[in-house]
């Protein structure tokens, strides 16, 4: 909201942005081999999941698909949904960047 100083309003408010990344300025660095869609998507995914973690999540999902009655099926489904949602968001973000 505009402030009032000496009886006069300051300029109208403007839209601001807050950065919440790990860098000192709040930004986020994405490790990507190049500016291609696939490389950028992979870089975003790697910011949260290592390749080993992704492989484990996919392996767990295969196990659930083969035998839904395994003891950790519910945990694996939650794990898959979280990964899948993050991946979908990464794809949407990169597609917006490359429009």
């Amino acid at each position: 909201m505009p402030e009032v100083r000496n009886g006069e309003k300051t300029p109208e408010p403007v839209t601001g942005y807050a950065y919440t990344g790990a860098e000192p300025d709040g930004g986020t660095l994405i490790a990507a081999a190049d500016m291609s869609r696939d490389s950028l998507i992979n870089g975003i995914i790697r910011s949260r999941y290592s390749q080993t973690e992704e492989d484990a999540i996919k392996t767990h999902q295969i196990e659930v698909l083969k035998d839904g009655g395994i003891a950790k099926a519910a945990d694996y489904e939650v794990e898959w949904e979280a990964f899948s949602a993050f991946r979908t968001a990464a794809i949407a973000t990169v597609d917006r960047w490359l429009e």
Side-chain angles (χ1 to χ4, degrees):
M1 297 299 296
E3 295 179 21
V4 176
R5 291 188 201 153
N6 300 326
E8 294 183 25
K9 283 188 177 182
T10 58
E12 291 297 314
V14 296
T15 301
Y17 299 92
Y19 298 92
T20 58
E23 295 302 306
D25 66 353
T28 300
L29 295 178
I30 297 171
D34 53 46
M35 288 294 291
S36 69
R37 182 176 184 268
D38 288 346
S39 186
L40 291 169
I41 291 168
N42 186 60
I44 292 173
I45 291 171
R46 291 300 149 252
S47 73
R48 180 166 304 170
Y49 297 94
S50 70
Q51 185 64 58
T52 302
E53 290 169 323
E54 180 180 344
D55 292 346
I57 290 167
K58 289 177 177 178
T59 299
H60 296 157
Q61 188 61 22
I62 291 168
E63 291 172 3
V64 168
L65 292 172
K66 287 175 66 179
D67 178 10
I70 61 175
K72 290 189 168 190
D75 293 338
Y76 291 166
E77 286 294 333
V78 169
E79 176 183 71
W80 174 255
E81 290 300 321
F83 173 78
S84 185
F86 187 75
R87 181 180 173 274
T88 299
I91 291 167
T93 297
V94 170
D95 286 346
R96 276 193 315 275
W97 289 348
L98 298 177
E99 285 180 340

